[in-house]
């Protein structure tokens, strides 16, 4: 699959060359990668008395030791370092993360030798989530300059009217190689208690996400927005289709709809996590339509993918092919995450260069 993707890119470049060959110019494209990864409970080993992290400490039921933590940091940083590498010879320029406990664990990722060379910055806020898990954004300083960022709270309430604390939605505006873009990093409420029972919480999360998108567009009708995250819903669920108003095909787009490139994978039976012999595709990207119509010298959407090399999968047994997890229940497996990461590639034309000619 990867070789086919690279072949497609080379063919595109050949077509670009042919299109301009009569003027004696060759088109050159720049590629940037955006990734998202649910890293499955990346906690430190210290008990934080303000959140419910007691189980994920050395004395907790998960026996979360320093050695296991360091192995997890090495695993996750290694995965992040290779996403998009065949296309760009570099790790992702922007990385959304969820299920990170605090800024310290994110910092341990970016300073690990797998990533340290690439000089990542961190955008993170401590969220009010009861378990103490947050979302974060990593950005390569050579590619992206953040200009504004904020955490937008998701206000949920239980049947008694008390607030149900969950993850914020992280909104980041910045310049990707000089072009302004907006990013939203999400981790919507889980399906705990059952899909239907918990569905109203994800509907509320989708409504919050849509309000953010609409407010950005109201300020700038040309705003280019990418919302990413673990949505705990599949591309065809109500929160996506009816609330965010997502569509699978570019020709279905209008000014009120959003493009979901991950729906194509879901239609083919692919997913990012597996549960009870079924694949779900909770990890998604949602884009405003102008990512598909921007000019050639602006970044535009090229393709999306699921990063699922064999080493991220269980090798044999009943769950062969499932994500190779850190834990199954409370039993330590030593794997990576219960999700596969996802990515998208952006492409833009850079200044054409004239071929060298012999001097008479």
């Amino acid at each position: 699959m990867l070789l086919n993707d690279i072949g497609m890119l080379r063919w595109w470049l050949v077509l670009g060359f042919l299109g301009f060959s009569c003027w004696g110019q060759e088109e050159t494209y720049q590629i940037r990668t955006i990734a998202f990864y649910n890293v499955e409970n990346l906690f430190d080993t210290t008990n934080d008395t303000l959140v419910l992290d007691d189980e994920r400490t050395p004395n907790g039921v998960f026996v979360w030791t320093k050695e296991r933590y360091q192995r997890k940091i090495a695993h996750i940083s290694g995965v992040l370092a290779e996403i998009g590498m065949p296309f760009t010879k570099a790790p992702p320029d922007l990385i959304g993360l969820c299920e990170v406990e605090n800024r310290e664990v994110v910092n341990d990722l970016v300073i690990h030798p797998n990533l340290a060379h690439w000089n990542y910055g961190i955008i993170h806020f401590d969220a009010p989530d009861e378990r103490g898990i947050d979302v974060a954004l990593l950005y390569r300083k050579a590619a992206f300059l953040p200009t504004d960022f904020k955490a937008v709270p998701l206000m949920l309430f239980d049947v008694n009217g008390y607030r149900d604390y969950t993850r914020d939605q992280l909104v980041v505006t910045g310049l990707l190689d000089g072009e302004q873009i907006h990013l939203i990093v999400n981790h919507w409420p889980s399906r705990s208690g059952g899909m239907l029972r918990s569905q109203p919480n994800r509907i509320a999360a989708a409504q919050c996400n849509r309000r953010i998108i609409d407010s950005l567009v109201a300020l700038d009708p040309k705003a280019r927005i990418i919302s990413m995250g673990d949505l705990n819903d599949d591309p065809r669920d109500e929160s996506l289709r009816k609330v965010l108003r997502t569509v699978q095909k570019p020709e279905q787009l209008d000014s009120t709809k959003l493009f979901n490139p991950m729906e194509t994978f879901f239609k083919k039976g692919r997913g990012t996590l597996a549960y009870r012999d079924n694949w779900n595709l909770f990890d998604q990207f949602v884009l405003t339509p102008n990512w598909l119509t921007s000019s050639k010298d602006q970044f535009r959407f090229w393709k999306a993918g699921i990063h699922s090399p064999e080493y991220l999968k269980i090798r044999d047994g009943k769950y062969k092919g499932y994500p190779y997890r850190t834990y199954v229940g409370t039993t330590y497996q030593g794997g990576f995450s219960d999700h596969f990461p996802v990515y998208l590639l952006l492409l833009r034309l850079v200044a054409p260069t004239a071929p060298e000619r012999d001097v008479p």
Side-chain angles (χ1 to χ4, degrees), residues 222-261:
K222 296 181 179 180
R224 290 188 293 165
I225 305 164
I226 298 173
S227 186
M228 69 180 99
D230 174 1
L231 309 184
N232 273 303
D233 266 341
D234 289 315
R236 294 185 176 179
D237 286 329
E238 181 177 349
S239 60
L240 277 297
R241 280 293 188 83
K242 293 186 177 180
V243 181
L244 283 186
R245 301 193 289 279
T246 59
V247 296
Q248 174 190 353
K249 299 177 181 179
E251 57 267 27
Q252 299 171 316
L253 286 167
D254 60 34
S255 60
T256 70
K257 294 183 174 66
L258 301 170
F259 176 57
N260 186 349

Side-chain angles (χ1 to χ4, degrees), residues 72-83:
K72 175 96 169 181
I73 290 291
H75 275 349
I76 298 301
S77 61
V79 175
L80 295 176
E82 71 175 25
I83 298 173

Side-chain angles (χ1 to χ4, degrees), residues 102-117:
N102 49 44
R103 187 182 183 91
E104 286 70 29
V105 301
V106 181
N107 189 63
D108 284 345
L109 282 176
V110 302
I111 66 173
H112 189 279
N114 288 328
L115 291 176
H117 169 73

Side-chain angles (χ1 to χ4, degrees), residues 59-80:
N59 296 321
V61 66
F62 289 93
V63 194
W64 188 236
T65 62
K66 182 177 180 181
E67 292 73 23
R68 291 180 177 183
Y69 172 73
Q70 290 175 339
R71 176 177 175 140
K72 175 96 169 181
I73 290 291
H75 275 349
I76 298 301
S77 61
V79 175
L80 295 176

Side-chain angles (χ1 to χ4, degrees), residues 38-44 46-56 62 98-102 126-134 164-167 187-190 192 230 232 325 327 329 338:
N38 179 328
V39 295
E40 188 198 358
N41 295 312
L42 182 54
F43 283 78
D44 61 24
T46 304
N47 182 16
D48 184 341
T49 58
L50 298 178
V51 296
L52 302 178
D53 69 344
D54 302 56
E55 293 182 339
R56 298 183 186 276
F62 289 93
C98 78
E99 293 201 13
V100 294
E101 184 181 13
N102 49 44
D126 282 314
D129 182 83
E130 294 171 350
R131 292 180 54 224
I133 54 174
D134 306 330
D164 183 6
Y165 291 95
T166 187
R167 280 80 62 177
H187 186 192
W188 290 1
S190 75
S192 177
D230 174 1
N232 273 303
R325 307 172 56 153
Y327 282 89
D338 54 351

Side-chain angles (χ1 to χ4, degrees), residues 34 53 112 119 125 127 182 206 211 224 248 266 293 310 331:
I34 301 178
D53 69 344
H112 189 279
N119 194 22
F125 293 92
H182 308 273
R211 285 194 298 270
R224 290 188 293 165
Q248 174 190 353
F266 186 67
T293 59
E310 291 302 311
T331 303

Side-chain angles (χ1 to χ4, degrees), residues 153-256:
L154 175 59
M155 304 300 291
L156 301 177
F157 299 90
D158 63 22
V159 294
N160 297 314
Y162 294 104
R163 185 175 173 188
D164 183 6
Y165 291 95
T166 187
R167 280 80 62 177
D168 297 331
Q169 297 186 13
L170 177 61
V171 184
V172 179
T173 297
L175 302 176
L176 180 64
D177 294 306
E179 294 184 22
Q180 185 178 76
I181 67 171
H182 308 273
L183 304 161
I184 311 171
V185 186
N186 302 267
H187 186 192
W188 290 1
S190 75
R191 295 189 172 192
S192 177
M195 175 186 173
L196 292 178
R197 183 178 178 182
S198 60
Q199 185 183 47
N201 290 338
R202 289 184 299 282
I203 295 295
Q207 291 169 338
C208 177
N209 201 246
R210 186 73 211 202
R211 285 194 298 270
I212 295 169
I213 292 170
D214 289 345
S215 65
L216 290 170
V217 172
L219 291 172
D220 176 10
K222 296 181 179 180
R224 290 188 293 165
I225 305 164
I226 298 173
S227 186
M228 69 180 99
D230 174 1
L231 309 184
N232 273 303
D233 266 341
D234 289 315
R236 294 185 176 179
D237 286 329
E238 181 177 349
S239 60
L240 277 297
R241 280 293 188 83
K242 293 186 177 180
V243 181
L244 283 186
R245 301 193 289 279
T246 59
V247 296
Q248 174 190 353
K249 299 177 181 179
E251 57 267 27
Q252 299 171 316
L253 286 167
D254 60 34
S255 60
T256 70

